[in-house]
Amino acid sequence: MEERSHNSNNSHRLLRGSNSALKSKEKGQLIVKLCAFLIIISTISITVFLGYKGLQSFIAFDANPLTFLTSINWEPGSNASEGGYGALPFIIGSFAVTFLAALVAAPIGIASAIFMTEIAKKYGQKVLQPVIEILVGIPSVVYGLIGVTVMVPIIRQYIGGLGFSLIAGTIVVGVMILPTVTSISADAIKSIPAEMKNASYALGATRWQTIYRVIIPAALPSLMTAIVFGMARAFGEALAVQMVIGNSTAIPQSLLDQTATLTSIITLGMPHTTYGSFHNNLLWSLGLILLIMSYVFIIFVRYLSSRRKI
């Protein structure tokens, strides 16, 4: 009898334990689903709100979308018939800074990733990896201050112009996105199976031949993803660019010319406009362009990820 009672108690404890584990699992699943739902709702809400505000310039004030996207005159008045509301210089400025910064960061970042993972692994893990993590954590305003106090005077003295220019913005943003490109590229190279490298060495290839003919082609979709992520950050950067680019409303004709980006015009203009005014709604329209471009970058990253899986 005692033995049966003991077995019965054990079975009851096991049942209680399994019920408790089941409830904990259900709670965990519920929390995860709620968090995922919150993220989805937040994304949809931001998109709907920014879409609504960004379209008010064309709905409430009858602004011409074609004029907004192609005109170079930016002197907003109280309505669409006064002044000009051409955003083309800022669109060109944003794309110029983004692509030029990618040209600066991509070769340096990929080369650093190869050095960290294939040439000097111990040195890369002990020295380069902590440096990259530090660069990631530096606020953008610090990059802007360094650009104003160091890069701008150097450009003014040794290259020409006023110093505040497209090339200054390119260098500052290029340095900012360098850690992103480097870290993602390093992870991509590390994920390449060791068998591929060993097979290359077994066929008599040198280390550089293996890097050039095996590692880089195998990791190319992921390396492109790293560059696109860096470009996405560069396109949305505001404060650091605003401090060094000059914020001119003209289309730049050279790297030494001053220009402006979508983000710099928004941050400069928003505090000086009245909510609901035509000028204020135009700035929301510039923000809508930024949102659309963010989605374009995300779609491109997804496309590259699908190629990587294949």
Side-chain angles (χ1 to χ4, degrees):
M1 293 292 292
E2 292 180 2
E3 203 172 315
R4 289 181 181 176
S5 177
H6 180 70
N7 291 335
S8 177
N9 291 334
N10 286 339
S11 61
H12 283 304
R13 282 197 296 268
L14 290 173
L15 286 173
R16 285 197 299 267
S18 61
N19 290 334
S20 178
L22 183 61
K23 290 180 180 179
S24 299
K25 181 181 177 181
E26 292 176 350
K27 289 179 181 179
Q29 290 177 344
L30 179 61
I31 293 173
V32 170
K33 290 179 181 178
L34 287 175
C35 292
F37 181 74
L38 180 62
I39 292 173
I40 294 171
I41 291 299
S42 300
T43 303
I44 294 174
S45 300
I46 292 172
T47 303
V48 171
F49 175 76
L50 195 52
Y52 171 77
K53 292 295 296 181
L55 293 175
Q56 287 302 301
S57 303
F58 315 109
I59 296 174
F61 293 91
D62 295 325
N64 189 330
L66 187 61
T67 302
F68 176 71
L69 294 174
T70 60
S71 176
I72 62 174
N73 182 25
W74 180 261
E75 294 178 359
S78 58
N79 53 62
S81 61
E82 298 179 5
Y85 49 91
L88 183 61
F90 317 134
I91 297 173
I92 292 176
S94 293
F95 277 103
V97 170
T98 299
F99 283 105
L100 291 173
L103 289 177
V104 171
I108 300 175
I110 294 174
S112 300
I114 293 173
F115 182 81
M116 289 170 53
T117 57
E118 297 297 324
I119 298 175
K121 296 182 180 180
K122 292 183 179 179
Y123 177 80
Q125 292 176 355
K126 292 181 179 180
V127 179
L128 280 182
Q129 191 68 35
V131 169
I132 291 171
E133 293 172 355
I134 291 172
L135 289 175
V136 171
I138 295 177
S140 60
V141 65
V142 176
Y143 287 102
L145 287 172
I146 295 174
V148 169
T149 57
V150 178
M151 290 306 307
V152 169
I154 290 176
I155 293 171
R156 184 190 301 123
Q157 183 174 354
Y158 295 103
I159 301 179
L162 298 175
F164 296 95
S165 57
L166 176 59
I167 190 173
T170 296
I171 294 173
V172 170
V173 176
V175 174
M176 285 186 62
I177 68 175
L178 182 60
T180 301
V181 176
T182 303
S183 59
I184 298 177
S185 299
D187 292 337
I189 295 172
K190 289 178 183 176
S191 66
I192 296 175
E195 290 78 6
M196 293 180 64
K197 305 175 189 177
N198 294 334
S200 177
Y201 291 133
L203 292 172
T206 64
R207 183 196 310 184
W208 292 107
Q209 288 173 333
T210 301
I211 291 172
Y212 178 72
R213 296 184 179 274
V214 177
I215 295 176
I216 293 179
L220 188 59
S222 297
L223 297 179
M224 291 298 299
T225 300
I227 295 172
V228 173
F229 268 123
M231 292 174 64
R233 184 185 179 189
F235 199 85
E237 180 52 42
L239 187 56
V241 176
Q242 176 187 325
M243 296 172 70
V244 299
I245 204 169
N247 302 302
S248 169
T249 58
I251 296 177
Q253 303 298 320
S254 72
L255 292 175
L256 296 177
D257 288 346
Q258 299 183 34
T259 185
T261 62
L262 293 166
T263 52
S264 64
I265 289 299
I266 292 173
T267 54
L268 285 171
M270 193 64 76
H272 306 290
T273 61
T274 303
Y275 184 80
S277 65
F278 180 54
H279 191 178
N280 182 267
N281 283 312
L282 286 175
L283 297 178
W284 283 106
S285 299
L286 296 180
L288 180 59
I289 295 176
L290 285 171
L291 180 66
I292 293 172
M293 284 308 305
S294 298
Y295 281 142
V296 170
F297 282 122
I298 292 170
I299 292 171
F300 192 39
V301 167
R302 299 289 295 178
Y303 168 72
L304 293 173
S305 299
S306 64
R307 285 189 58 195
R308 183 174 65 240
K309 291 177 183 178
I310 293 174

